[in-house]
Amino acid sequence: MTRRLTGFQPTGKLHLGNLIGAMRPLVQAQERPDTRSIAMIADLHAMTMEHDPAQLRANTLQVATVLLAAGVDPRRTALIAHSQVPEHSELHYLLECVTGYGEAARMIQFREKSAGSPLPGFSAPSEGPGAGSKHVRLSLLTYPVLMAADILVHDSEQVPVGDDQSQHLELARTIATRFNTRYGETFTVPEGIRPESAARVMDLADPARKMSKSSPSPAGRIGLLDSPDVIRRTIARAVTDTVGIVRDDPAGQPGVTNLLGILRACSDRELGDLHSYGALKREVTDAVEAVLTPIRTRYAELAEDPDHVRKVLSEGKAWVRPRAAETVRRTRAALGLLD
Ligand code: AQP
């Protein structure tokens, strides 16, 4: 049995990119008798940037509900909230003791998200150059080590990763290998896998960026729970170009290429007779609507019963904890901690 871990940050509303890039592959993997997935709502990861507690709680429950609505079957996939399995945090600290500061500080995502802050180790000066620089949480620096703990604690063999996470996965592999060499065989060294549909769904308003929960403008994002009217207007406003030909040309026509990618991901229809951008957008709207309508309907039913969703999370926790506790026990013993 291959163990696979897929994470979702409850940093906002799930969108079409999350569905195509991560949720669908997760649901498809349920059909494989040789694969067992954990779907983790990474609420602790969502605290690496400024956050609102009430919003985090609501988002965590909403992400769990959307995952169930999209077909995650809790009998085949363990659905967990990150913070409800304390072994993640315990292993995190133990792994910090085998990770170098420089290894964490050079992660691209840390450098990008902390840009504009003073140098690590210095507080923002009140005046002069760097004054008023943004506050950077220490957890932003150590987050890749927590991610390594998330992966290793479940003995995960496979982790579906997009390009932006591949450096973090590499760090998890480095930490696991280093630990095994220094303290004895303890961790399964995970492999990163490209999801079967490796497509990156790009922002409809700015096709050079990926569609993202936290992009400041909703104009480029199709939320999985958006109303048909909002979806229609968002797609109608999608950026195209002046070439006027419907074809794949990622460099020259990124907006049109993105719409074609979405259409292929959402329908099996032949694309031969699309002669105008208007026709393309109408097709994309219909195809997206056909995919999202059943998810929205199921979501509305599930949202009526939040206790059921909480129960699913609690069953998921009970399912994964014995293995996680055993990994932590092994790690503690290897490090010389008393049992
Ligand atoms: N645009 C995308 N196209 C394809 N796949 C995507 N994923 C995210 N955006 C796209 C995949 O969805 C899973 C969950 O992502 P995440 O919640 O860990 O956060 P993320 O990758 O950082 O996605 P977002 O939406 O852009 O969130 P924020 O804005 O909070 O950073 C992952 O498997 C991811 O690859």
Side-chain angles (χ1 to χ4, degrees):
M1 186 66 81
T2 304
R3 282 179 297 278
R4 195 180 275 193
L5 178 76
T6 302
F8 298 87
Q9 296 189 60
T11 37
K13 295 184 172 25
L14 290 172
H15 52 74
L16 195 65
N18 297 129
L19 180 74
I20 294 172
M23 293 160 70
R24 264 210 195 145
L26 173 65
V27 171
Q28 283 159 359
Q30 293 180 153
E31 302 305 324
R32 300 175 55 148
D34 61 343
T35 303
R36 184 68 82 212
S37 296
I38 294 176
M40 181 181 83
I41 303 160
D43 52 357
L44 294 176
H45 291 185
M47 290 166 47
T48 56
M49 306 291 279
E50 184 57 38
H51 80 285
D52 173 60
Q55 194 64 55
L56 176 60
R57 195 174 301 117
N59 284 349
T60 303
L61 270 180
Q62 187 181 71
V63 171
T65 312
V66 173
L67 287 172
L68 293 172
V72 169
D73 173 1
R75 289 163 304 178
R76 291 182 287 172
T77 296
L79 180 60
I80 59 171
H82 197 191
S83 64
Q84 290 187 327
V85 179
E87 286 77 10
H88 295 123
S89 307
E90 184 168 5
L91 189 63
H92 177 199
Y93 179 73
L94 301 180
L95 295 185
E96 280 188 354
C97 299
V98 294
T99 309
Y101 167 78
E103 285 178 308
R106 73 162 178 265
M107 293 291 120
I108 295 165
Q109 213 173 69
F110 172 70
R111 296 215 310 267
E112 283 175 357
K113 290 193 173 173
S114 63
S117 68
L119 285 173
F122 296 87
S123 53
S126 54
E127 51 186 34
S133 302
K134 71 176 179 185
H135 174 77
V136 174
R137 295 184 173 182
L138 184 57
S139 55
L140 184 65
L141 175 68
T142 59
Y143 143 76
V145 190
L146 176 57
M147 182 171 152
D150 303 338
I151 296 167
L152 300 181
V153 84
H154 300 295
D155 287 336
S156 314
E157 281 141 335
Q158 294 184 343
V159 186
V161 275
D163 296 338
D164 52 342
Q165 289 296 337
S166 57
Q167 200 188 20
H168 294 160
L169 195 262
E170 217 31 64
L171 182 65
R173 288 169 52 81
T174 302
I175 293 172
T177 308
R178 178 182 302 148
F179 192 104
N180 288 349
T181 309
R182 171 73 178 81
Y183 298 106
E185 208 54 41
T186 305
F187 296 120
T188 304
V189 180
E191 253 187 82
I193 53 161
R194 302 283 305 172
E196 274 138 48
S197 87
R200 278 278 87 183
V201 178
M202 307 309 280
D203 190 288
L204 295 179
D206 176 5
R209 301 159 40 124
K210 72 166 189 152
M211 191 179 282
S212 169
K213 286 186 232 93
S214 54
S215 68
S217 157
R221 192 167 52 223
I222 299 176
L224 298 184
L225 302 177
D226 282 353
S227 70
D229 196 41
V230 168
I231 292 172
R232 192 181 44 73
R233 279 188 279 125
T234 307
I235 296 174
R237 282 200 304 259
V239 165
T240 51
D241 50 62
T242 52
V243 177
I245 306 173
V246 179
R247 64 175 175 199
D248 287 297
D249 176 4
Q253 298 179 249
V256 171
T257 306
N258 188 36
L259 288 170
L260 282 168
I262 293 174
L263 184 52
R264 283 195 198 92
C266 294
S267 114
D268 328 323
R269 182 190 177 290
E270 269 303 314
L271 304 182
D273 56 347
L274 289 170
H275 297 303
S276 73
Y277 293 166
L280 171 63
K281 287 180 173 180
R282 279 192 295 280
E283 281 294 329
V284 173
T285 305
D286 291 349
V288 167
E289 199 35 43
V291 167
L292 296 191
T293 301
I295 297 177
R296 229 172 14 231
T297 308
R298 182 78 187 114
Y299 175 85
E301 288 161 13
L302 287 161
E304 300 257 298
D305 188 3
D307 286 347
H308 168 71
V309 179
R310 283 179 183 271
K311 183 160 165 277
V312 166
L313 291 172
S314 141
E315 287 167 357
K317 170 175 74 172
W319 187 1
V320 303
R321 272 195 88 182
R323 180 181 291 278
E326 170 53 25
T327 311
V328 170
R329 189 204 59 72
R330 263 194 333 263
T331 313
R332 290 176 56 99
L335 286 169
L337 298 171
L338 296 180
D339 56 19

